[in-house]
Amino acid sequence: MNDLRISGLASGMDTDQIVSDLMRAERLPMDRLEQQKAYLEWQRDDYREMNKMLLEFDTLIFDGIYRDSTFNQKQVDVSAPEELSIKNLSSTGDFAGTIEVTSLASAATMFSNTNIHLDPTKALSEQGVSGMQTITIQAIGEDGVTSTEPTTIEFDPSEHTLNSLISMINAESNVTMFYDSFTGKVAVTANYSGDAQASDGSNIPEITLSGDFFMNVLQFDDDGTGKATNIHSETLNNGTLGANAKFNYNGLETERHSNTFTLSGFEVTLKQATGDPVHFQSTPDVDSILDTVVQFVEKYNDIIKKINEELVEVKQRDYPPLTSEQKKGMEEKEIELWEEQARSGTLRNDSTLTTAINQMRLDLSSPISGIGNLLSDIGIDTSKDYLDRGKLIIDEEKLRETIANDPNALKDVFTKNGESMDEKGIARRLRDTVQEAMAGIEVRAGRASSTNHTFTLGRNLDNIEDQMDRFEQRLTQIEDRYWRQFTAMELAIQQANTQSTYLMQQFSF
């Protein structure tokens, strides 16, 4: 313990300072270990940052130029967009023709035949509804043809108001119920439009309501069977029938159960009946496709710029990492500027990154078997400036022309599949290269969730930490030895002083 050490009492020496200076020299190997550890941690973090960028690039490729759907994007010009709209969902071909809308699809409705005289905010039991009630709702399904399975609801009038019951019905069934305070009536509308039919083609109700509460409290008309239905007939009291949309498509009279439906991979939405045929024509969505390709090129350029910078960055050997002791005497800004220099060159000439960037360039420049198209053929070329180190340049006019004339050819350049590398499109090649690079980096630097023993730099860090622990123990032993030596010296000097004083006292007589 320090308080048991004798510090310069006899010699007058500043023993604390002397031991501190001696230990500073002894700690030099420990400082080097601390600096090595800091540099390895920077290197590990820089590798992981590179892997993060590569993963973002891989994801961008996968979500963009890797997908066939990217190049199938089309815009459809419609002569009367206020009457109908069309958008491409999955079609790879063109879509053109005329549509003349006779009538729109509509959903069936039913409503009370008289004012029901209920306060929608009060408990139903307070308004003459007693005993447990059971109601059943059946309505046309999403297919616009058949009815769904009946929904049965049991409720206690003492626990429900009309409003709360309506909310429960709307949540659990295929109808939307509404209380109109102005007329004092309840209206029910099927959630799906269309003319419901049985398997034999006969008409069936789009809405069927069962239960005493519907007939005697909400005043829906009984169809004679103890149910309320929108009976198919030319006239319908207290409601409307569901109807199909009717239209003429390129001369063919046809129907759909909804106003939104799919034709040849295109989604058509009818908005109103048309007086005349509406003409439409699909063309490649040049702007959307171009935007995806531009995003890819920009991200690629960012990646190769970053990799090239890391590979050629010079390690500043005059700026070793700061030790914790050195940082104590520096301002925060000084530390930041120093470490900016000290951290340089962590990935200089890295073999994994060098291989990756060379392969990426090869992926872009090698012809594709069976296609022969190069990027330069479609409006993307490599910069002729050597300092750009493989940066891609877009000829927007040429690329737009390629997209407009033959988006499928552009798609093949990026997405073509094959067994060998020369058969694959550019997007597939690049993903293979990027994923291989990421795997190599992960072997060296791991992930944020990795434990040190699972990757190379982590094992090196563990080794350095073990050395530091052992050296710290050794330093403690050395410091104790110095203090024992100085303490022994102080005791010897004190003893000599005592003897000298005694002798002088003896000779003084």
Side-chain angles (χ1 to χ4, degrees):
M1 299 290 290
N2 288 343
D3 58 343
L4 298 179
R5 296 168 176 172
I6 300 176
S7 179
L9 293 177
S11 65
M13 298 168 60
D14 187 351
T15 309
D16 282 327
Q17 185 61 47
I18 293 172
V19 172
S20 176
D21 292 341
L22 289 170
M23 289 307 300
R24 186 176 296 110
E26 295 286 353
R27 286 191 65 87
L28 288 177
M30 174 66 90
D31 291 342
R32 286 193 289 272
L33 286 173
E34 186 177 347
Q35 289 169 331
Q36 289 176 30
K37 178 185 176 184
Y39 196 79
L40 285 178
E41 289 174 338
W42 289 341
Q43 193 174 47
R44 175 201 63 196
D45 293 344
D46 288 346
Y47 271 122
R48 290 179 179 176
E49 185 63 28
M50 186 60 65
N51 246 10
K52 180 182 176 183
M53 286 189 67
L54 289 171
L55 177 60
E56 290 173 353
F57 184 47
D58 182 61
T59 302
L60 181 90
I61 292 174
F62 181 76
D63 291 338
I65 62 169
Y66 187 82
R67 296 181 180 273
D68 289 349
S69 58
T70 293
F71 303 95
N72 294 337
Q73 298 179 89
K74 297 179 181 297
Q75 60 182 13
V76 184
D77 295 322
V78 180
S79 62
E82 72 281 0
E83 296 179 353
L84 62 89
S85 63
I86 303 176
K87 67 177 181 179
N88 186 36
L89 295 180
S90 59
S91 176
T92 60
D94 289 328
F95 186 55
T98 62
I99 291 179
E100 184 175 357
V101 183
T102 304
S103 60
L104 298 178
S106 59
T109 62
M110 297 175 64
F111 45 89
S112 307
N113 58 37
T114 186
N115 189 312
I116 61 175
H117 303 293
L118 288 179
D119 184 334
T121 63
K122 290 183 178 180
L124 293 169
S125 59
E126 298 177 13
Q127 304 180 77
V129 182
S130 60
M132 293 297 294
Q133 298 286 323
T134 300
I135 56 177
T136 301
I137 304 114
Q138 189 171 18
I140 190 171
E142 188 173 3
D143 64 2
V145 179
T146 58
S147 295
T148 58
E149 289 296 318
T151 299
T152 299
I153 297 174
E154 188 174 2
F155 65 95
D156 185 344
S158 66
E159 296 178 357
H160 280 281
T161 65
L162 180 59
N163 283 344
S164 67
L165 178 61
I166 288 174
S167 295
M168 185 162 57
I169 290 172
N170 291 345
E172 298 182 16
S173 69
N174 274 340
V175 300
T176 299
M177 184 174 283
F178 165 69
Y179 172 71
D180 180 33
S181 59
F182 183 80
T183 61
K185 295 181 179 182
V186 171
V188 177
T189 304
N191 287 347
Y192 301 105
S193 60
D195 181 5
Q197 295 181 340
S199 57
D200 61 3
S202 60
N203 289 326
I204 58 175
E206 285 84 47
I207 303 174
T208 299
L209 307 177
S210 305
D212 180 73
F213 182 77
F214 279 133
M215 255 62 69
N216 297 327
V217 178
L218 298 188
Q219 298 296 310
F220 285 97
D221 283 340
D222 190 327
D223 65 1
T225 66
K227 301 177 181 179
T229 60
N230 58 329
I231 302 172
H232 281 259
S233 62
E234 291 186 2
T235 59
L236 176 68
N237 293 329
N238 304 322
T240 59
L241 296 173
N244 292 338
K246 297 181 180 181
F247 59 97
N248 181 299
Y249 169 53
N250 287 346
L252 174 66
E253 295 290 344
T254 185
E255 300 182 15
R256 291 295 185 275
H257 304 292
S258 170
N259 291 315
T260 298
F261 50 88
T262 302
L263 282 176
S264 303
F266 287 80
E267 182 182 86
V268 179
T269 299
L270 308 181
K271 299 179 181 180
Q272 65 184 52
T274 61
D276 298 302
V278 176
H279 296 267
F280 59 89
Q281 171 69 55
S282 69
T283 56
D285 189 346
V286 175
D287 288 338
S288 295
I289 298 173
L290 177 69
D291 183 60
T292 301
V293 176
V294 168
Q295 288 181 41
F296 157 72
V297 170
E298 290 177 346
K299 190 66 174 180
Y300 173 84
N301 287 340
D302 289 344
I303 286 286
I304 64 166
K305 179 182 178 183
K306 178 64 175 176
I307 293 177
N308 280 319
E309 287 174 350
E310 294 290 347
L311 290 176
V312 301
E313 187 176 53
V314 178
K315 183 175 181 179
Q316 301 295 338
R317 300 187 183 279
D318 293 336
Y319 291 86
L322 296 170
T323 65
S324 54
E325 196 65 30
Q326 290 170 330
K327 289 180 181 179
K328 291 179 181 178
M330 300 176 66
E331 297 290 336
E332 185 175 339
K333 187 62 176 178
E334 291 177 317
I335 295 173
E336 181 183 336
L337 293 173
W338 182 283
E339 291 191 339
E340 184 179 333
Q341 296 295 324
R343 192 165 182 163
S344 63
T346 55
L347 304 182
R348 180 177 174 81
N349 294 329
D350 178 76
S351 59
T352 300
L353 294 178
T354 300
T355 300
I357 197 167
N358 288 338
Q359 185 59 49
M360 288 167 70
R361 290 168 180 159
L362 192 61
D363 292 340
L364 293 175
S365 61
S366 300
I368 303 167
S369 178
I371 297 178
N373 285 22
L374 299 175
L375 284 179
S376 57
D377 297 327
I378 62 175
I380 303 174
D381 210 345
T382 304
S383 171
K384 301 299 187 287
D385 188 341
Y386 172 77
L387 296 177
D388 285 338
R389 297 179 178 273
K391 177 182 178 181
L392 295 179
I393 305 295
I394 292 179
D395 181 340
E396 184 172 327
E397 183 178 348
K398 188 173 183 179
L399 182 55
R400 280 184 175 276
E401 182 180 350
T402 301
I403 296 170
N405 293 339
D406 195 355
N408 287 328
L410 182 66
K411 176 183 70 176
D412 287 342
V413 170
F414 285 108
T415 69
K416 184 176 183 292
N417 201 1
E419 294 296 326
S420 62
M421 184 62 71
D422 61 351
E423 293 176 322
K424 294 181 178 180
I426 289 170
R428 295 183 184 276
R429 293 175 179 178
L430 283 173
R431 291 201 72 211
D432 290 345
T433 299
V434 167
Q435 289 171 7
E436 185 175 349
M438 290 171 60
I441 291 174
E442 192 172 319
V443 168
R444 183 156 179 77
R447 302 179 180 180
S449 59
S450 301
T451 53
N452 278 356
H453 72 275
T454 61
F455 58 96
T456 304
L457 289 179
R459 290 189 290 273
N460 292 344
L461 285 168
D462 283 346
N463 181 49
I464 289 177
E465 288 178 354
D466 290 342
Q467 292 182 58
M468 292 175 70
D469 289 341
R470 292 194 297 271
F471 200 79
E472 193 65 53
Q473 294 174 2
R474 182 185 171 194
L475 289 174
T476 301
Q477 294 171 351
I478 292 173
E479 186 175 15
D480 289 342
R481 175 166 57 82
Y482 280 138
W483 274 107
R484 286 196 302 271
Q485 291 172 338
F486 278 106
T487 298
M489 181 190 73
E490 292 291 336
L491 291 173
I493 293 174
Q494 185 178 7
Q495 186 177 6
N497 289 341
T498 300
Q499 291 174 346
S500 176
T501 301
Y502 174 76
L503 288 174
M504 290 180 66
Q505 289 176 346
Q506 293 300 318
F507 285 118
S508 65
F509 292 104

